[in-house]
Amino acid sequence: MKALVKSRADVGLWLEDVPEPEPGINDVLIKIERTSICGTDVHIWNWDEWSRKTIRVPTVIGHEFVGRVAATGSNVKGFDVGDLVSGEGHLVCGLCRSCMAGRRHLCSHTQGIGVNRDGAYAEYLCIPMTNVWGADERIPLDVLSCFDPLGNAVHTALSFPILGEDVLITGAGPIGCMATAVARHAGASHIVVTDLLPERRALAKQLGATDAIDPRERDLADVQRELGMVEGFDVGLEMSGSIAALHGMIDNMCHGGKMALLGILPSDAPIDWQKVIFNSLEIKGIYGREMYETWYMMTMMIQCGLDITPVITHHFHYTEFEKAFEVMRSGRSGKVVLDWSN
Ligand code: NAD
Ligand code: ZN
């Protein structure tokens, strides 16, 4: 089968012929229909320090996908050939304390598909049945291919109650923009989004931001005043990975404000801990999605009108993956979808 492979320790990805994976008794073989490109895939393309440490070559990469069941292992129940499915990209051990308690998103031995084992940028993907999510046929394939990052947005945005609350979202990348739509759908009051790029601020506004600002040009305290806010943001969603953005957030939270951090901040980023302590801020780190409550919530919200389609800005056939990655690497796109149908 054709697959996009990190086949050597160098910048780029290569379209190659690799053996089709064979499902074990608990596995589901999926014929891929669409994949979408994640920032992680761009890191792997760029062969940066993180990917040099993490990826062994050769690995088929990719973890955001939708497809149809092509075969099932003898032990698999609940999935039949032809079913439309997406899937959770984090494989958990099933045995640690968190897994045993049903908190699989907190597994201490998580493995990533398309990172630690072969992934979805291929004609076929094979994963355990416990990672397969039965998809709703009424949801467009391009949207289903984005369920993994939409799940990051949903998990982060719904980490704290946001009904009637003022929300600050730093970073209007694809995930920040999807979180904006989720926060709007979930009944947030003001949603202020920050980003350095005008295209991304425009997208955030399209997805329901009350205002989208360049933090280098406008002070968040002024924005609060203009909106009639007096005590600071109730909930902050950090989705840029920028320490400047995190500092801006800490400075603009209300006392007792709640912050969910998804963006990958530098390990040694300094923080004014006295502001955190004296303002009684609550900070939660977010990794991945909840299995499978997040998947349920995103399906239901989309069925009830949550629209993330403006975030999907480009669509290419997989043979045009070089163009697709070029667009993605420019940092000026939303989600870029690859079509694996023939
Ligand atoms: P992205 O890189 O496309 O978006 C980040 C955005 O932040 C960009 O639009 C950028 O212009 C903006 N930005 C940079 N500096 C800023 C600043 N000072 N203030 C405001 N905005 C600023 O990334 P994405 O795909 O939308 O993902 C968002 C973040 O979440 C990334 O850091 C990504 O690595 C991380 N992530 C984490 C998880 C997890 O499980 N924790 C999963 C997926 C992605
Ligand atoms: Zn576990």
Side-chain angles (χ1 to χ4, degrees), residues 4 96 106 121 157 167 204-205 244 263 266 269 283-284 318 332:
L4 288 180
C96 70
L106 301 179
Y121 287 169
V167 178
K205 281 197 111 161
I283 300 182
K284 179 182 177 187
Y318 75 89
R332 297 196 172 243

Side-chain angles (χ1 to χ4, degrees), residues 91-100 103-104 106-110:
L91 269 65
V92 299
C93 75
L95 298 170
C96 70
R97 176 182 173 186
S98 296
C99 281
M100 292 301 282
R103 298 184 296 263
R104 287 183 275 183
L106 301 179
C107 172
S108 21
H109 309 288
T110 302

